[in-house]
Amino acid sequence: MREDGAAEAAGDRADVIVLGAGPAGLVVGNLLRAAGVDCVILERATRAALRTRARAGYLAPNTVRVLERHGLADRLHRYGQQHSLCEFRTPHGRFRLDYGSLGPGEPHTVYPQQELVTDLLAQYVDTGGRIHFATEATAVRDADGTRPSVLARDADGRTLRWHGRYVAGCDGRHGAARRSLPPGTVRRHHRDHAVSWLALLARAPQSIDAVGYAVHPAGFAGQMARGPEVTRYYLQCPRGTPADAWPDDRIWAELDLRMRAADYGPLHRGPLLQRLVFPLESDVLEPLRHGTLLLAGDAASLLGPSAAKGANLAVLEAELLARALTDDLLHDDPRGLNAYSDRCLTHIWRALRFSRWMVHLLHDLPVPPGPGASGRPPDRDALPRRPCLETLRTSRAEQDWFAENYTDV
Ligand code: FAD
């Protein structure tokens, strides 16, 4: 019976119940299936909606290696493009960094997230993986015992209960996994940077043959490639700005102004296909495990897109989680699960530190020191932005540090 007394339809059981079919959940699902672990994925959205949800695009070298290792990178190699240049446009001139030849010397692969999700879904479903679309997990129960269950609502509004041995919480920041953590069991590290970004997708080729970061008194503007005919732009906007508040003409005028089109050449304009506004904030949970419930991807940590880390961390954590679950369930070896949270958090803190450094560099906020600092990002010792940009322009050591952190997860 449900808690409100209404009847509960029979769900099913699986050794691992995966919540969410984003990059994290689909990598976990594919790797578990390949290893022969019994699993099911519950996903709130329809399959059609997943295939068109445009988000990330810059895949780190390590992300590509993880996907290659498990035979999940064929289309990515066929259609992805390598990128290794970024251009900073500042009130004092512009400069470029060929980060593919600095630091570890590795490029990003540009491959839209919805294409990656489409590939991962096809691989999972085509090999007989169990997945329920339009099924929203509402709560994880008894995670501190050995028989956790998940309550979910299907497309007909029925409540189902799924039983398992582990739950992989890959359902993002607002999913059921996070909500089901009992108070006091995890520590939340939250930081609000008090600025928002308007994220846009334009049907137009990129205007700069590099990732463009423009710092301007009117606010930040950015450009990132997504493919030959689609480009992502970002505009800093006041907190609380609705996504449709600015008409297209204003958006292009702001982009022209902040990216200094008058000095460096016009932007390629095109219809705007997507507008999203999100606050720049970071939100990390510690630890990433509560009994038999394990978190991965945005459910574990949200860093914001300033350094393009979210999808990359999601894939890295998903591989660690799938391996740990496999070792425990098939080989009775719990060491990977016991170490899971600490191993992921090592990567998360590092990404968080760089991501915050980028937030401060790109906005009119104090900049914490870069190279040489260690551990979690310092909040004090703030430096003005101009010398930080100047050091990045002129110092090879700083550029190597930037390249390593920019491409690494
Ligand atoms: P998601 O992709 O959010 O997947 C979670 C899934 O869970 C979704 O399919 C959702 O429908 C489902 N779900 C949610 N709640 C429930 C529920 N209760 N029950 C069942 N299912 C549920 N990252 C990068 O690395 N590089 C970039 O360039 C980059 N650019 C970005 C640009 C934008 C505009 C945005 C918004 C994000 C960007 N990111 C980027 C971040 C990246 O998109 C996320 O970090 C990534 O999607 C995280 O993957 P995930 O699988 O953890 O979560």
mmCIF file of all heavy atoms in Angstrom, residues 19-25 42-45 50 53 55-58 113 135-138 170-172 174-176 179 199 224 226 232 234 274 276 278 296-299 305 308-312 314, ligand 1:
data_model
loop_
_atom_site.group_PDB
_atom_site.id
_atom_site.type_symbol
_atom_site.label_atom_id
_atom_site.label_comp_id
_atom_site.label_asym_id
_atom_site.label_seq_id
_atom_site.Cartn_x
_atom_site.Cartn_y
_atom_site.Cartn_z
ATOM 1 N N LEU A 19 18.357 5.579 -11.578
ATOM 2 C CA LEU A 19 17.414 6.686 -11.755
ATOM 3 C C LEU A 19 18.015 7.682 -12.739
ATOM 4 O O LEU A 19 19.083 8.237 -12.477
ATOM 5 C CB LEU A 19 17.141 7.382 -10.415
ATOM 6 C CG LEU A 19 16.718 6.474 -9.251
ATOM 7 C CD1 LEU A 19 16.356 7.309 -8.041
ATOM 8 C CD2 LEU A 19 15.575 5.579 -9.665
ATOM 9 N N GLY A 20 17.326 7.910 -13.864
ATOM 10 C CA GLY A 20 17.771 8.920 -14.804
ATOM 11 C C GLY A 20 18.554 8.354 -15.974
ATOM 12 O O GLY A 20 19.423 7.498 -15.803
ATOM 13 N N ALA A 21 18.222 8.830 -17.170
ATOM 14 C CA ALA A 21 18.905 8.384 -18.393
ATOM 15 C C ALA A 21 19.612 9.557 -19.056
ATOM 16 O O ALA A 21 19.468 9.809 -20.253
ATOM 17 C CB ALA A 21 17.912 7.722 -19.347
ATOM 18 N N GLY A 22 20.375 10.295 -18.263
ATOM 19 C CA GLY A 22 21.298 11.284 -18.819
ATOM 20 C C GLY A 22 22.630 10.584 -19.051
ATOM 21 O O GLY A 22 22.712 9.345 -18.980
ATOM 22 N N PRO A 23 23.693 11.341 -19.303
ATOM 23 C CA PRO A 23 25.007 10.700 -19.507
ATOM 24 C C PRO A 23 25.394 9.776 -18.360
ATOM 25 O O PRO A 23 25.898 8.663 -18.591
ATOM 26 C CB PRO A 23 25.956 11.893 -19.610
ATOM 27 C CG PRO A 23 25.099 13.017 -20.085
ATOM 28 C CD PRO A 23 23.733 12.792 -19.512
ATOM 29 N N ALA A 24 25.152 10.198 -17.102
ATOM 30 C CA ALA A 24 25.571 9.362 -15.965
ATOM 31 C C ALA A 24 24.797 8.051 -15.941
ATOM 32 O O ALA A 24 25.390 6.963 -15.914
ATOM 33 C CB ALA A 24 25.379 10.130 -14.650
ATOM 34 N N GLY A 25 23.474 8.116 -15.960
ATOM 35 C CA GLY A 25 22.657 6.905 -15.845
ATOM 36 C C GLY A 25 22.860 5.957 -17.011
ATOM 37 O O GLY A 25 22.890 4.728 -16.829
ATOM 38 N N LEU A 42 15.012 3.923 -14.761
ATOM 39 C CA LEU A 42 13.738 4.641 -14.719
ATOM 40 C C LEU A 42 14.009 6.081 -15.141
ATOM 41 O O LEU A 42 14.860 6.749 -14.548
ATOM 42 C CB LEU A 42 13.145 4.620 -13.309
ATOM 43 C CG LEU A 42 13.014 3.251 -12.626
ATOM 44 C CD1 LEU A 42 12.362 3.397 -11.255
ATOM 45 C CD2 LEU A 42 12.230 2.272 -13.498
ATOM 46 N N GLU A 43 13.306 6.564 -16.151
ATOM 47 C CA GLU A 43 13.566 7.907 -16.692
ATOM 48 C C GLU A 43 12.245 8.668 -16.798
ATOM 49 O O GLU A 43 11.285 8.182 -17.379
ATOM 50 C CB GLU A 43 14.249 7.795 -18.067
ATOM 51 C CG GLU A 43 14.265 9.060 -18.901
ATOM 52 C CD GLU A 43 14.911 10.277 -18.230
ATOM 53 O OE1 GLU A 43 16.022 10.152 -17.714
ATOM 54 O OE2 GLU A 43 14.262 11.353 -18.223
ATOM 55 N N ARG A 44 12.284 9.880 -16.271
ATOM 56 C CA ARG A 44 11.072 10.719 -16.245
ATOM 57 C C ARG A 44 10.623 11.165 -17.646
ATOM 58 O O ARG A 44 9.438 11.234 -17.931
ATOM 59 C CB ARG A 44 11.379 11.961 -15.390
ATOM 60 C CG ARG A 44 10.223 12.889 -15.199
ATOM 61 C CD ARG A 44 10.620 14.043 -14.333
ATOM 62 N NE ARG A 44 11.736 14.799 -14.916
ATOM 63 C CZ ARG A 44 12.377 15.785 -14.321
ATOM 64 N NH1 ARG A 44 12.052 16.137 -13.091
ATOM 65 N NH2 ARG A 44 13.352 16.434 -14.907
ATOM 66 N N ALA A 45 11.572 11.449 -18.524
ATOM 67 C CA ALA A 45 11.238 12.002 -19.842
ATOM 68 C C ALA A 45 10.908 10.882 -20.842
ATOM 69 O O ALA A 45 11.143 9.703 -20.577
ATOM 70 C CB ALA A 45 12.418 12.825 -20.358
ATOM 71 N N LEU A 50 14.494 13.081 -24.727
ATOM 72 C CA LEU A 50 15.916 12.931 -24.385
ATOM 73 C C LEU A 50 16.804 13.202 -25.589
ATOM 74 O O LEU A 50 17.895 13.762 -25.459
ATOM 75 C CB LEU A 50 16.202 11.512 -23.895
ATOM 76 C CG LEU A 50 15.692 11.125 -22.504
ATOM 77 C CD1 LEU A 50 16.114 9.707 -22.173
ATOM 78 C CD2 LEU A 50 16.206 12.098 -21.454
ATOM 79 N N ARG A 53 17.379 17.091 -26.149
ATOM 80 C CA ARG A 53 17.692 18.008 -25.049
ATOM 81 C C ARG A 53 19.155 18.461 -25.139
ATOM 82 O O ARG A 53 20.078 17.760 -24.724
ATOM 83 C CB ARG A 53 17.402 17.324 -23.712
ATOM 84 C CG ARG A 53 17.430 18.316 -22.571
ATOM 85 C CD ARG A 53 16.760 17.803 -21.332
ATOM 86 N NE ARG A 53 17.323 16.542 -20.905
ATOM 87 C CZ ARG A 53 16.773 15.747 -20.006
ATOM 88 N NH1 ARG A 53 15.639 16.066 -19.463
ATOM 89 N NH2 ARG A 53 17.360 14.632 -19.657
ATOM 90 N N ARG A 55 22.421 20.300 -24.239
ATOM 91 C CA ARG A 55 23.081 20.817 -23.050
ATOM 92 C C ARG A 55 24.569 20.995 -23.371
ATOM 93 O O ARG A 55 24.949 21.933 -24.000
ATOM 94 C CB ARG A 55 22.915 19.836 -21.874
ATOM 95 C CG ARG A 55 21.479 19.740 -21.343
ATOM 96 C CD ARG A 55 21.198 20.909 -20.418
ATOM 97 N NE ARG A 55 19.919 20.811 -19.741
ATOM 98 C CZ ARG A 55 18.759 21.232 -20.229
ATOM 99 N NH1 ARG A 55 18.698 21.757 -21.438
ATOM 100 N NH2 ARG A 55 17.643 21.151 -19.520
ATOM 101 N N ALA A 56 25.391 20.014 -22.931
ATOM 102 C CA ALA A 56 26.845 20.116 -23.052
ATOM 103 C C ALA A 56 27.300 19.861 -24.487
ATOM 104 O O ALA A 56 26.530 19.412 -25.341
ATOM 105 C CB ALA A 56 27.509 19.125 -22.105
ATOM 106 N N GLY A 57 28.583 20.121 -24.706
ATOM 107 C CA GLY A 57 29.135 19.866 -26.024
ATOM 108 C C GLY A 57 30.628 19.570 -25.992
ATOM 109 O O GLY A 57 31.152 18.928 -26.884
ATOM 110 N N TYR A 58 31.319 20.044 -24.929
ATOM 111 C CA TYR A 58 32.773 19.882 -24.886
ATOM 112 C C TYR A 58 33.140 18.678 -24.039
ATOM 113 O O TYR A 58 32.982 18.691 -22.818
ATOM 114 C CB TYR A 58 33.429 21.162 -24.341
ATOM 115 C CG TYR A 58 33.658 22.153 -25.447
ATOM 116 C CD1 TYR A 58 32.566 22.710 -26.109
ATOM 117 C CD2 TYR A 58 34.931 22.474 -25.883
ATOM 118 C CE1 TYR A 58 32.756 23.585 -27.162
ATOM 119 C CE2 TYR A 58 35.126 23.352 -26.940
ATOM 120 C CZ TYR A 58 34.032 23.901 -27.574
ATOM 121 O OH TYR A 58 34.209 24.746 -28.621
ATOM 122 N N GLN A 113 25.612 16.951 -26.414
ATOM 123 C CA GLN A 113 25.179 15.975 -25.402
ATOM 124 C C GLN A 113 23.989 15.143 -25.883
ATOM 125 O O GLN A 113 23.909 13.947 -25.591
ATOM 126 C CB GLN A 113 24.802 16.723 -24.112
ATOM 127 C CG GLN A 113 24.358 15.806 -22.993
ATOM 128 C CD GLN A 113 24.271 16.529 -21.657
ATOM 129 O OE1 GLN A 113 25.068 17.417 -21.375
ATOM 130 N NE2 GLN A 113 23.315 16.160 -20.823
ATOM 131 N N THR A 135 8.626 7.646 -16.647
ATOM 132 C CA THR A 135 8.438 7.055 -15.318
ATOM 133 C C THR A 135 9.281 7.852 -14.328
ATOM 134 O O THR A 135 10.509 7.834 -14.410
ATOM 135 C CB THR A 135 8.872 5.568 -15.341
ATOM 136 O OG1 THR A 135 8.048 4.888 -16.295
ATOM 137 C CG2 THR A 135 8.721 4.926 -13.980
ATOM 138 N N GLU A 136 8.610 8.558 -13.463
ATOM 139 C CA GLU A 136 9.320 9.469 -12.560
ATOM 140 C C GLU A 136 9.491 8.856 -11.174
ATOM 141 O O GLU A 136 8.495 8.541 -10.505
ATOM 142 C CB GLU A 136 8.532 10.775 -12.438
ATOM 143 C CG GLU A 136 9.209 11.758 -11.499
ATOM 144 C CD GLU A 136 8.513 13.098 -11.453
ATOM 145 O OE1 GLU A 136 7.404 13.226 -12.032
ATOM 146 O OE2 GLU A 136 9.071 14.018 -10.829
ATOM 147 N N ALA A 137 10.732 8.682 -10.771
ATOM 148 C CA ALA A 137 10.987 8.214 -9.404
ATOM 149 C C ALA A 137 10.527 9.298 -8.442
ATOM 150 O O ALA A 137 10.792 10.481 -8.659
ATOM 151 C CB ALA A 137 12.471 7.929 -9.215
ATOM 152 N N THR A 138 9.823 8.898 -7.411
ATOM 153 C CA THR A 138 9.352 9.898 -6.446
ATOM 154 C C THR A 138 10.084 9.780 -5.109
ATOM 155 O O THR A 138 10.177 10.755 -4.379
ATOM 156 C CB THR A 138 7.832 9.767 -6.218
ATOM 157 O OG1 THR A 138 7.526 8.401 -5.910
ATOM 158 C CG2 THR A 138 7.058 10.177 -7.468
ATOM 159 N N CYS A 170 21.153 8.918 -10.511
ATOM 160 C CA CYS A 170 21.734 9.689 -11.630
ATOM 161 C C CYS A 170 20.664 10.614 -12.198
ATOM 162 O O CYS A 170 20.631 10.874 -13.402
ATOM 163 C CB CYS A 170 22.229 8.739 -12.724
ATOM 164 S SG CYS A 170 23.383 7.483 -12.151
ATOM 165 N N ASP A 171 19.764 11.086 -11.349
ATOM 166 C CA ASP A 171 18.608 11.840 -11.829
ATOM 167 C C ASP A 171 18.743 13.335 -11.583
ATOM 168 O O ASP A 171 17.750 14.045 -11.416
ATOM 169 C CB ASP A 171 17.309 11.295 -11.206
ATOM 170 C CG ASP A 171 17.382 11.173 -9.682
ATOM 171 O OD1 ASP A 171 18.499 11.285 -9.134
ATOM 172 O OD2 ASP A 171 16.338 10.964 -9.044
ATOM 173 N N GLY A 172 19.964 13.820 -11.584
ATOM 174 C CA GLY A 172 20.196 15.259 -11.582
ATOM 175 C C GLY A 172 19.973 15.905 -10.220
ATOM 176 O O GLY A 172 19.674 15.257 -9.224
ATOM 177 N N HIS A 174 17.680 17.913 -9.098
ATOM 178 C CA HIS A 174 16.341 18.010 -8.500
ATOM 179 C C HIS A 174 15.632 16.666 -8.484
ATOM 180 O O HIS A 174 14.413 16.601 -8.373
ATOM 181 C CB HIS A 174 15.507 19.042 -9.277
ATOM 182 C CG HIS A 174 16.142 20.398 -9.310
ATOM 183 N ND1 HIS A 174 16.271 21.179 -8.185
ATOM 184 C CD2 HIS A 174 16.741 21.081 -10.318
ATOM 185 C CE1 HIS A 174 16.899 22.297 -8.494
ATOM 186 N NE2 HIS A 174 17.203 22.259 -9.780
ATOM 187 N N GLY A 175 16.404 15.588 -8.625
ATOM 188 C CA GLY A 175 15.801 14.264 -8.708
ATOM 189 C C GLY A 175 15.417 13.684 -7.360
ATOM 190 O O GLY A 175 15.613 14.299 -6.295
ATOM 191 N N ALA A 176 14.892 12.452 -7.428
ATOM 192 C CA ALA A 176 14.400 11.790 -6.209
ATOM 193 C C ALA A 176 15.548 11.325 -5.319
ATOM 194 O O ALA A 176 15.388 11.239 -4.102
ATOM 195 C CB ALA A 176 13.531 10.598 -6.599
ATOM 196 N N ARG A 179 16.610 14.104 -3.025
ATOM 197 C CA ARG A 179 15.499 14.421 -2.105
ATOM 198 C C ARG A 179 15.311 13.359 -1.038
ATOM 199 O O ARG A 179 14.770 13.618 0.029
ATOM 200 C CB ARG A 179 14.193 14.541 -2.897
ATOM 201 C CG ARG A 179 13.979 15.830 -3.633
ATOM 202 C CD ARG A 179 12.493 16.025 -3.940
ATOM 203 N NE ARG A 179 11.862 14.863 -4.535
ATOM 204 C CZ ARG A 179 11.793 14.610 -5.827
ATOM 205 N NH1 ARG A 179 12.349 15.450 -6.670
ATOM 206 N NH2 ARG A 179 11.199 13.531 -6.273
ATOM 207 N N ALA A 199 21.589 31.091 -21.612
ATOM 208 C CA ALA A 199 22.241 30.160 -22.545
ATOM 209 C C ALA A 199 21.399 30.085 -23.803
ATOM 210 O O ALA A 199 20.183 29.865 -23.740
ATOM 211 C CB ALA A 199 22.352 28.781 -21.906
ATOM 212 N N MET A 224 30.542 29.002 -27.805
ATOM 213 C CA MET A 224 31.122 27.654 -27.854
ATOM 214 C C MET A 224 30.531 26.925 -29.055
ATOM 215 O O MET A 224 29.315 26.964 -29.270
ATOM 216 C CB MET A 224 30.768 26.868 -26.601
ATOM 217 C CG MET A 224 31.568 27.276 -25.383
ATOM 218 S SD MET A 224 31.322 26.063 -24.076
ATOM 219 C CE MET A 224 32.678 26.476 -22.991
ATOM 220 N N ARG A 226 29.041 23.993 -31.339
ATOM 221 C CA ARG A 226 28.230 22.797 -31.106
ATOM 222 C C ARG A 226 28.152 21.926 -32.361
ATOM 223 O O ARG A 226 27.703 20.799 -32.303
ATOM 224 C CB ARG A 226 26.808 23.169 -30.658
ATOM 225 C CG ARG A 226 26.711 23.616 -29.202
ATOM 226 C CD ARG A 226 27.113 22.501 -28.250
ATOM 227 N NE ARG A 226 26.922 22.844 -26.845
ATOM 228 C CZ ARG A 226 27.865 23.253 -26.023
ATOM 229 N NH1 ARG A 226 29.112 23.417 -26.470
ATOM 230 N NH2 ARG A 226 27.620 23.515 -24.763
ATOM 231 N N ARG A 232 26.550 27.645 -29.563
ATOM 232 C CA ARG A 232 26.022 28.080 -28.265
ATOM 233 C C ARG A 232 26.631 29.421 -27.902
ATOM 234 O O ARG A 232 27.816 29.649 -28.118
ATOM 235 C CB ARG A 232 26.341 27.055 -27.172
ATOM 236 C CG ARG A 232 25.631 27.431 -25.880
ATOM 237 C CD ARG A 232 25.658 26.408 -24.793
ATOM 238 N NE ARG A 232 24.742 25.298 -24.872
ATOM 239 C CZ ARG A 232 23.418 25.364 -24.812
ATOM 240 N NH1 ARG A 232 22.816 26.535 -24.733
ATOM 241 N NH2 ARG A 232 22.687 24.278 -24.855
ATOM 242 N N TYR A 234 26.506 32.436 -24.620
ATOM 243 C CA TYR A 234 26.095 32.740 -23.249
ATOM 244 C C TYR A 234 26.149 34.249 -23.055
ATOM 245 O O TYR A 234 27.044 34.918 -23.581
ATOM 246 C CB TYR A 234 27.052 32.104 -22.239
ATOM 247 C CG TYR A 234 27.053 30.597 -22.202
ATOM 248 C CD1 TYR A 234 28.158 29.870 -22.643
ATOM 249 C CD2 TYR A 234 25.962 29.897 -21.703
ATOM 250 C CE1 TYR A 234 28.173 28.475 -22.590
ATOM 251 C CE2 TYR A 234 25.958 28.507 -21.648
ATOM 252 C CZ TYR A 234 27.065 27.805 -22.094
ATOM 253 O OH TYR A 234 27.076 26.435 -22.044
ATOM 254 N N GLN A 274 17.117 27.869 -28.703
ATOM 255 C CA GLN A 274 16.934 27.544 -27.280
ATOM 256 C C GLN A 274 17.370 28.729 -26.432
ATOM 257 O O GLN A 274 18.342 29.403 -26.756
ATOM 258 C CB GLN A 274 17.814 26.326 -26.915
ATOM 259 C CG GLN A 274 17.661 25.853 -25.488
ATOM 260 C CD GLN A 274 18.822 24.948 -25.053
ATOM 261 O OE1 GLN A 274 19.985 25.339 -25.073
ATOM 262 N NE2 GLN A 274 18.496 23.726 -24.670
ATOM 263 N N LEU A 276 17.773 29.397 -22.226
ATOM 264 C CA LEU A 276 17.649 28.905 -20.847
ATOM 265 C C LEU A 276 18.327 29.921 -19.953
ATOM 266 O O LEU A 276 19.371 30.441 -20.326
ATOM 267 C CB LEU A 276 18.440 27.606 -20.639
ATOM 268 C CG LEU A 276 18.103 26.341 -21.383
ATOM 269 C CD1 LEU A 276 19.217 25.323 -21.143
ATOM 270 C CD2 LEU A 276 16.797 25.817 -20.841
ATOM 271 N N PHE A 278 20.030 30.237 -16.184
ATOM 272 C CA PHE A 278 20.335 29.523 -14.938
ATOM 273 C C PHE A 278 21.297 30.336 -14.082
ATOM 274 O O PHE A 278 22.141 31.072 -14.595
ATOM 275 C CB PHE A 278 20.878 28.110 -15.194
ATOM 276 C CG PHE A 278 22.006 28.065 -16.146
ATOM 277 C CD1 PHE A 278 23.297 28.256 -15.713
ATOM 278 C CD2 PHE A 278 21.772 27.850 -17.497
ATOM 279 C CE1 PHE A 278 24.336 28.231 -16.604
ATOM 280 C CE2 PHE A 278 22.809 27.831 -18.396
ATOM 281 C CZ PHE A 278 24.095 28.025 -17.948
ATOM 282 N N ALA A 296 25.640 9.956 -8.661
ATOM 283 C CA ALA A 296 26.622 10.258 -9.722
ATOM 284 C C ALA A 296 26.094 11.401 -10.581
ATOM 285 O O ALA A 296 24.886 11.621 -10.672
ATOM 286 C CB ALA A 296 26.873 9.012 -10.581
ATOM 287 N N GLY A 297 27.002 12.107 -11.243
ATOM 288 C CA GLY A 297 26.620 13.197 -12.141
ATOM 289 C C GLY A 297 26.082 14.395 -11.377
ATOM 290 O O GLY A 297 26.487 14.672 -10.245
ATOM 291 N N ASP A 298 25.135 15.104 -11.999
ATOM 292 C CA ASP A 298 24.600 16.326 -11.372
ATOM 293 C C ASP A 298 23.903 16.035 -10.049
ATOM 294 O O ASP A 298 23.758 16.946 -9.224
ATOM 295 C CB ASP A 298 23.601 17.020 -12.318
ATOM 296 C CG ASP A 298 24.299 17.828 -13.404
ATOM 297 O OD1 ASP A 298 25.538 17.768 -13.490
ATOM 298 O OD2 ASP A 298 23.594 18.517 -14.169
ATOM 299 N N ALA A 299 23.470 14.817 -9.823
ATOM 300 C CA ALA A 299 22.867 14.475 -8.527
ATOM 301 C C ALA A 299 23.920 14.594 -7.424
ATOM 302 O O ALA A 299 23.594 14.909 -6.280
ATOM 303 C CB ALA A 299 22.297 13.058 -8.558
ATOM 304 N N PRO A 305 28.239 25.680 -15.959
ATOM 305 C CA PRO A 305 28.969 25.391 -17.200
ATOM 306 C C PRO A 305 30.183 26.276 -17.468
ATOM 307 O O PRO A 305 30.739 26.224 -18.553
ATOM 308 C CB PRO A 305 27.897 25.603 -18.276
ATOM 309 C CG PRO A 305 26.996 26.602 -17.694
ATOM 310 C CD PRO A 305 27.041 26.463 -16.198
ATOM 311 N N ALA A 308 32.820 23.817 -18.236
ATOM 312 C CA ALA A 308 32.375 22.643 -18.995
ATOM 313 C C ALA A 308 32.788 21.324 -18.338
ATOM 314 O O ALA A 308 33.401 20.472 -18.959
ATOM 315 C CB ALA A 308 32.900 22.728 -20.431
ATOM 316 N N LYS A 309 32.448 21.171 -17.072
ATOM 317 C CA LYS A 309 32.871 19.964 -16.349
ATOM 318 C C LYS A 309 31.737 18.969 -16.100
ATOM 319 O O LYS A 309 31.993 17.792 -15.849
ATOM 320 C CB LYS A 309 33.458 20.345 -14.983
ATOM 321 C CG LYS A 309 34.697 21.205 -15.046
ATOM 322 C CD LYS A 309 35.858 20.467 -15.638
ATOM 323 C CE LYS A 309 37.125 21.297 -15.648
ATOM 324 N NZ LYS A 309 38.112 20.813 -16.598
ATOM 325 N N GLY A 310 30.478 19.417 -16.089
ATOM 326 C CA GLY A 310 29.380 18.585 -15.572
ATOM 327 C C GLY A 310 29.226 17.247 -16.273
ATOM 328 O O GLY A 310 29.218 16.185 -15.629
ATOM 329 N N ALA A 311 29.104 17.259 -17.592
ATOM 330 C CA ALA A 311 28.897 16.001 -18.319
ATOM 331 C C ALA A 311 30.138 15.124 -18.217
ATOM 332 O O ALA A 311 30.054 13.892 -18.184
ATOM 333 C CB ALA A 311 28.567 16.293 -19.785
ATOM 334 N N ASN A 312 31.295 15.771 -18.131
ATOM 335 C CA ASN A 312 32.551 15.010 -18.048
ATOM 336 C C ASN A 312 32.684 14.306 -16.701
ATOM 337 O O ASN A 312 33.057 13.134 -16.641
ATOM 338 C CB ASN A 312 33.726 15.957 -18.312
ATOM 339 C CG ASN A 312 33.717 16.459 -19.740
ATOM 340 O OD1 ASN A 312 33.890 15.675 -20.661
ATOM 341 N ND2 ASN A 312 33.470 17.740 -19.950
ATOM 342 N N ALA A 314 30.175 13.468 -14.924
ATOM 343 C CA ALA A 314 29.103 12.456 -14.917
ATOM 344 C C ALA A 314 29.604 11.140 -15.519
ATOM 345 O O ALA A 314 29.369 10.059 -14.969
ATOM 346 C CB ALA A 314 27.888 12.975 -15.686
HETATM 347 P P1 FAD B 1 21.170 14.884 -16.613
HETATM 348 O O1 FAD B 1 21.788 15.005 -17.957
HETATM 349 O O2 FAD B 1 20.415 16.060 -16.070
HETATM 350 O O3 FAD B 1 20.267 13.603 -16.595
HETATM 351 C C1 FAD B 1 19.409 13.323 -15.512
HETATM 352 C C2 FAD B 1 18.230 12.538 -16.061
HETATM 353 O O4 FAD B 1 17.380 12.180 -14.984
HETATM 354 C C3 FAD B 1 17.382 13.347 -17.033
HETATM 355 O O5 FAD B 1 17.187 12.612 -18.211
HETATM 356 C C4 FAD B 1 16.075 13.602 -16.278
HETATM 357 O O6 FAD B 1 14.944 13.623 -17.152
HETATM 358 C C5 FAD B 1 16.040 12.387 -15.364
HETATM 359 N N1 FAD B 1 15.273 12.596 -14.127
HETATM 360 C C6 FAD B 1 15.241 13.712 -13.341
HETATM 361 N N2 FAD B 1 14.473 13.490 -12.285
HETATM 362 C C7 FAD B 1 14.009 12.229 -12.391
HETATM 363 C C8 FAD B 1 13.178 11.426 -11.586
HETATM 364 N N3 FAD B 1 12.647 11.900 -10.450
HETATM 365 N N4 FAD B 1 12.897 10.153 -11.983
HETATM 366 C C9 FAD B 1 13.437 9.656 -13.145
HETATM 367 N N5 FAD B 1 14.237 10.378 -13.949
HETATM 368 C C10 FAD B 1 14.522 11.650 -13.565
HETATM 369 N N6 FAD B 1 28.821 20.025 -19.099
HETATM 370 C C11 FAD B 1 29.990 19.763 -19.727
HETATM 371 O O7 FAD B 1 30.725 18.850 -19.293
HETATM 372 N N7 FAD B 1 30.391 20.466 -20.843
HETATM 373 C C12 FAD B 1 29.630 21.479 -21.360
HETATM 374 O O8 FAD B 1 29.989 22.070 -22.386
HETATM 375 C C13 FAD B 1 28.374 21.784 -20.706
HETATM 376 N N8 FAD B 1 27.541 22.739 -21.188
HETATM 377 C C14 FAD B 1 26.312 22.923 -20.600
HETATM 378 C C15 FAD B 1 25.448 23.876 -21.124
HETATM 379 C C16 FAD B 1 24.198 24.088 -20.557
HETATM 380 C C17 FAD B 1 23.291 25.139 -21.125
HETATM 381 C C18 FAD B 1 23.788 23.317 -19.428
HETATM 382 C C19 FAD B 1 22.421 23.521 -18.802
HETATM 383 C C20 FAD B 1 24.636 22.358 -18.902
HETATM 384 C C21 FAD B 1 25.904 22.151 -19.478
HETATM 385 N N9 FAD B 1 26.784 21.211 -18.967
HETATM 386 C C22 FAD B 1 28.003 20.994 -19.561
HETATM 387 C C23 FAD B 1 26.387 20.382 -17.800
HETATM 388 C C24 FAD B 1 25.867 19.011 -18.260
HETATM 389 O O9 FAD B 1 24.851 19.165 -19.213
HETATM 390 C C25 FAD B 1 25.362 18.218 -17.060
HETATM 391 O O10 FAD B 1 26.349 18.242 -16.062
HETATM 392 C C26 FAD B 1 25.037 16.773 -17.442
HETATM 393 O O11 FAD B 1 23.831 16.722 -18.155
HETATM 394 C C27 FAD B 1 24.935 15.885 -16.199
HETATM 395 O O12 FAD B 1 24.543 14.590 -16.582
HETATM 396 P P2 FAD B 1 23.630 13.710 -15.611
HETATM 397 O O13 FAD B 1 23.412 12.426 -16.302
HETATM 398 O O14 FAD B 1 24.183 13.721 -14.252
HETATM 399 O O15 FAD B 1 22.278 14.540 -15.488
#
